[in-house]
Amino acid sequence: MVGAKKSQKKVAAPEKGLATRSSGTLSKPMPSLTVGALERALLAEFPAADAETWDRTGLTVGDPARLVTGVAVALDPTVEAIEAAAEAGANVLVTHHPAFLAPPDSFAPATSPAVSAGAGVWKAVERGVALMAFHTALDVSARAQRVLPGMLGLSFERVLEPLPGAPDKGYGQLCAVVDDGGLSLGQLAARCTSVFARPPRVWGDFDRALDRVVTCTGSAGGLGRACLGERADCLVCGEVKYHDALDLSQAGLAIVDLGHDTSELPLAGVLASAVEAVGVPGERVSVIAQQDNWSHPETVRI
């Protein structure tokens, strides 16, 4: 209407522990989406059949019939993350790691699920927050394959260990180096430090020129052997066991160990995008920041 005075919408300060997300000036109406419908939609993207047999995929805590009011996303369903989700107005917390693998022995309040996995379940029920996780089904998904290569400026070629009958899904990403001036191990390590704001552990000669690099989130497991089979120069992973790293380095493979959580934190963004893609408005989706679990004190010489 001509001459009408535009109203000013006050933007609330972001909740502590939540990463900021952009949103429009007008809130979209929340669709009538139940917790069960959200789970089914996400399982269509990250099928339980793709997950490891020992894993827990999908809804572990919550009422499938309840309407979704908001969704929080995180790497780990800690007690603090459940509290942050509730404070943000979310009644669903979608995570990479599940609340538990083995069934909890008890359900009681505690400061950390490390004391009892049932503590997270207790807090979720207490705060009315449904918990669902997609863990290894997310790890092997087509969405996850482009994350680390894209962040590190590598050219993704193919999945190193694909799932049977699904060449676009699986573990490890075989990548080519596309830098015009080449890329050394030291330069890749410096790039990892810049991208993740955490210095990685590196095994190998910093001056070594790289041509083929394999990336993987989380534990490298037996992926190192596959790297040798493909004659890759370097493995960038979330973590690797010492003796495995020793054997692989002796066989000629350089290793960049990012840290398990550092390598997987970007997957929270993948989950957030998937939640939005099934119809949850972006302003109703919050990403809980969990990147400050580790600290790195300076080395002081006396």
Side-chain angles (χ1 to χ4, degrees):
M1 180 182 296
V2 178
K5 184 177 180 181
K6 294 182 178 180
S7 61
Q8 298 294 321
K9 181 179 179 180
K10 185 177 180 181
V11 180
E15 294 286 342
K16 184 179 180 181
L18 297 177
T20 58
R21 289 176 60 82
S22 60
S23 61
T25 56
L26 296 178
S27 297
K28 297 178 182 178
M30 186 68 188
S32 296
L33 182 71
T34 65
V35 172
L38 175 62
E39 180 198 26
R40 289 191 296 274
L42 292 177
L43 283 173
E45 183 71 30
F46 311 112
D50 291 347
E52 297 293 335
T53 55
W54 47 262
D55 204 2
R56 287 187 181 272
T57 308
L59 185 67
T60 53
V61 180
D63 181 0
R66 179 169 294 182
L67 288 176
V68 175
T69 60
V71 179
V73 179
L75 176 64
D76 295 299
T78 61
V79 169
E80 294 81 5
I82 295 167
E83 285 280 11
E87 291 300 316
N91 67 342
V92 180
L93 176 61
V94 178
T95 59
H96 181 216
H97 295 136
F100 56 86
L101 292 175
D105 294 327
S106 64
F107 300 90
T111 57
S112 171
V115 178
S116 167
V121 176
W122 177 282
K123 180 60 66 175
V125 174
E126 181 182 55
R127 295 307 305 266
V129 176
L131 303 181
M132 59 179 75
F134 295 90
H135 202 198
T136 53
L138 171 59
D139 284 334
V140 301
S141 69
R143 281 180 179 260
Q145 304 312 317
R146 304 299 197 279
V147 174
L148 289 186
M151 295 178 73
L152 295 176
L154 302 170
S155 177
F156 172 78
E157 292 185 343
R158 61 180 175 83
V159 175
L160 186 60
E161 291 189 332
L163 298 183
D168 62 331
K169 294 182 177 182
Y171 294 102
Q173 301 87 42
L174 183 62
C175 309
V177 172
V178 293
D179 298 64
D180 292 336
L183 184 68
S184 69
L185 177 61
Q187 289 170 328
L188 177 60
R191 186 176 296 179
C192 289
T193 302
S194 176
V195 168
F196 297 104
R198 289 287 185 276
R201 297 195 305 170
V202 182
W203 199 320
D205 182 355
F206 270 33
D207 293 328
R208 177 178 179 176
L210 304 178
D211 181 46
R212 309 184 86 195
V213 176
V214 172
T215 62
C216 79
T217 55
S219 175
L223 204 61
R225 300 294 175 184
C227 292
L228 296 178
E230 290 290 340
R231 301 193 178 188
D233 301 303
C234 178
L235 169 63
V236 179
C237 60
E239 64 178 345
V240 60
K241 292 181 178 179
Y242 169 74
H243 287 289
D244 289 343
L246 178 64
D247 291 344
L248 294 171
S249 68
Q250 295 298 300
L253 184 69
I255 299 170
V256 177
D257 184 323
L258 298 173
H260 193 112
D261 55 339
T262 298
S263 74
E264 292 184 336
L265 282 166
L267 295 179
V270 175
L271 287 172
S273 296
V275 169
E276 290 186 36
V278 302
V280 180
E283 59 267 28
R284 300 294 184 95
V285 181
S286 303
V287 179
I288 298 174
Q290 294 178 316
Q291 68 269 24
D292 295 325
N293 292 330
W294 298 96
S295 59
H296 300 269
E298 295 180 357
T299 300
V300 179
R301 294 182 179 180
I302 299 177

